[in-house]
Amino acid sequence: MTVRHFLSTQDYSRAEIDALLEQAAEFKRSPAGHQLAGKSIALMFFNPSMRTRTSFELGAFQLGGHAIVLSPGKDAWPIEFEVGSVMDGDTEEHIAEVARVLSRYVDIIAVRAFPKFVDWSVDREDKVLKAFAHYATVPVINLETITHPCQELAHALALKEHLGNLQNRKYVLTWTYHPKPLNTAVANSALMIATKMGMDVTLLCPTPDYVLDERYMEFAKANARENGGSLKVSHDIEASYRDADVIYAKSWGAIPFFGRWDEEKAIREANRHFIVDEAKMALTNNGLFSHCLPLRRNVKATDAVMDSPACIAIDEAENRLHVQKAVMASLMAHSQAQKSGLGF
């Protein structure tokens, strides 16, 4: 039996993404359901969370299911992920046992595990998420690792609610300053979902060092070709903002400096002017502004932008609840169909 996971939207067709968004919109209109009645989900948090944990726990409850939250290394045993490892250090059990045991207990496993920020050649392999998917015999959901597919769906749903048809809308994913180098996950995901929805996408960043990993750039290029949109990279703030329909802000660290963040810091500090402010938004086509949250006000975006009618960040955050219910319901339906021999 082939298990269907939700690890990346690149594993899903445009039609499947549209179906998930339609189901999410239906859940938004009518929140209660029975799609997870008698079922359970284990939420594995290797990193902190507010929106992700709250929306998944509530989502499972609203669909009749039960969520169990585990934090390995805190309230659960530390887990080893290397194959062939001699486990004489801090880890107490191997993912081979963890994933298979949890699969006997629960119906879905969801995993949040950020990069270590030391070596991108290692982090880009997404070993934690892939190991769960490899050993689990139930569906696995990505709660954010080096991509954030749940955030993608919430973002797309918010854009559709405000703009309707997204085809060839001008979309700008802009880098913004942050005092620390951050994960590229949301930036990778924003690039993928915007191009999958057929938008004309500009990746705006200070220097070529901040262009995203070639894997996600190539995914985005392929998405643009397949869905009638476009993708370009720009370092010109004014040209990028002009006539844009959407400004999506995110901070991320420059991959060429991965693990050498002291060297990257000077570039970040020199580009604080990438903040999203009223003057830049005035260049847009009455554009929408959003961010995945949490957002440092007056660092990434000004108070005036965050408190303006153009800001849909709260709508996007709410939509996490609805799209995740759609994902859980879809995975559960697929599993049940396979078990009954119907296939999907």
Side-chain angles (χ1 to χ4, degrees):
M1 183 178 74
T2 303
V3 180
R4 187 80 194 269
H5 302 298
F6 187 70
L7 308 181
S8 168
T9 55
Q10 288 302 116
D11 301 330
Y12 283 66
S13 69
R14 171 65 187 273
E16 289 174 319
I17 294 296
D18 286 340
L20 287 172
L21 293 175
E22 289 174 12
Q23 177 64 80
E26 179 58 34
F27 280 133
K28 192 167 187 175
R29 290 188 291 268
S30 181
H34 302 285
Q35 290 85 347
L36 293 184
K39 306 297 182 181
S40 56
I41 178 171
L43 303 174
M44 307 290 291
F45 285 100
F46 292 84
N47 298 96
S49 172
M50 187 186 81
R51 277 155 295 276
T52 299
R53 175 174 176 174
T54 304
S55 54
F56 262 101
E57 284 198 65
L58 283 174
F61 171 76
Q62 290 176 4
L63 295 184
H66 180 71
I68 299 167
V69 178
L70 297 169
S71 298
K74 296 178 181 178
D75 58 16
W77 296 116
I79 303 171
E80 177 61 53
F81 290 92
E82 292 298 328
V83 175
S85 174
V86 177
M87 293 174 55
D88 57 359
D90 294 331
T91 54
E92 291 291 342
E93 56 183 334
H94 199 275
I95 183 60
E97 287 75 61
V98 174
R100 289 185 292 177
V101 168
L102 284 176
S103 295
R104 301 285 182 97
Y105 292 156
V106 302
D107 301 282
I108 301 173
I109 299 171
V111 180
R112 183 180 183 92
F114 294 171
K116 300 297 184 184
F117 294 101
V118 175
D119 186 341
W120 179 242
S121 68
V122 174
D123 284 343
R124 79 189 298 272
E125 294 304 313
D126 219 1
K127 289 182 178 180
V128 173
L129 182 68
K130 288 181 179 178
F132 271 99
H134 176 74
Y135 289 108
T137 56
V138 298
V140 173
I141 297 175
N142 181 353
L143 302 182
E144 187 180 3
T145 56
I146 58 173
T147 60
H148 200 345
C150 294
Q151 191 74 47
E152 291 179 51
L153 295 185
H155 183 43
L157 182 59
L159 293 180
K160 287 171 69 68
E161 289 170 335
H162 286 270
L163 295 176
N165 185 6
L166 301 182
Q167 188 68 42
N168 297 120
R169 294 281 198 163
K170 183 176 179 181
Y171 179 101
V172 178
L173 169 60
T174 180
W175 178 92
T176 53
Y177 169 78
H178 191 282
K180 298 184 292 184
L182 299 181
N183 192 358
T184 57
V186 172
N188 294 334
S189 284
L191 205 67
M192 290 192 293
I193 198 65
T195 50
K196 190 176 280 282
M197 302 307 290
M199 304 181 84
D200 291 326
V201 179
T202 298
L203 173 62
L204 172 62
C205 53
T207 72
D209 291 324
Y210 289 89
V211 173
L212 298 169
D213 182 276
E214 61 181 354
R215 173 196 297 165
Y216 302 105
M217 296 301 295
E218 289 303 316
F219 283 155
K221 290 175 186 176
N223 287 346
R225 287 194 300 268
E226 292 168 10
N227 295 285
S230 63
L231 173 66
K232 67 178 180 180
V233 174
S234 176
H235 309 302
D236 187 324
I237 293 174
E238 184 173 332
S240 298
Y241 271 78
R242 191 168 301 283
D243 297 324
D245 296 299
V246 180
I247 303 296
Y248 198 56
K250 188 67 184 81
S251 303
W252 66 86
I255 289 174
F257 294 93
F258 217 82
R260 297 181 290 112
W261 299 116
D262 287 345
E263 298 174 39
E264 186 246 13
K265 185 177 181 182
I267 305 175
R268 268 188 290 125
E269 292 293 338
N271 287 285
R272 287 173 175 255
H273 62 286
F274 269 73
I275 185 173
V276 183
D277 57 26
E278 307 93 295
K280 296 185 186 73
M281 290 301 296
L283 297 171
T284 70
N285 180 30
N286 295 312
L288 300 174
F289 169 77
S290 197
H291 186 278
C292 63
L293 303 182
L295 178 142
R296 294 195 182 204
R297 283 177 173 240
N298 303 308
V299 173
K300 295 183 181 182
T302 62
D303 285 333
V305 170
M306 286 301 294
D307 296 330
S308 74
C311 181
I312 62 168
I314 302 301
D315 293 340
E316 180 174 330
E318 179 198 338
N319 286 347
R320 291 290 304 280
L321 174 63
H322 312 305
V323 299
Q324 288 159 191
K325 287 163 70 174
V327 169
M328 289 188 285
S330 173
L331 292 176
M332 207 68 267
H334 186 275
S335 294
Q336 291 171 334
Q338 285 197 321
K339 289 176 182 178
S340 65
L342 295 177
F344 242 64

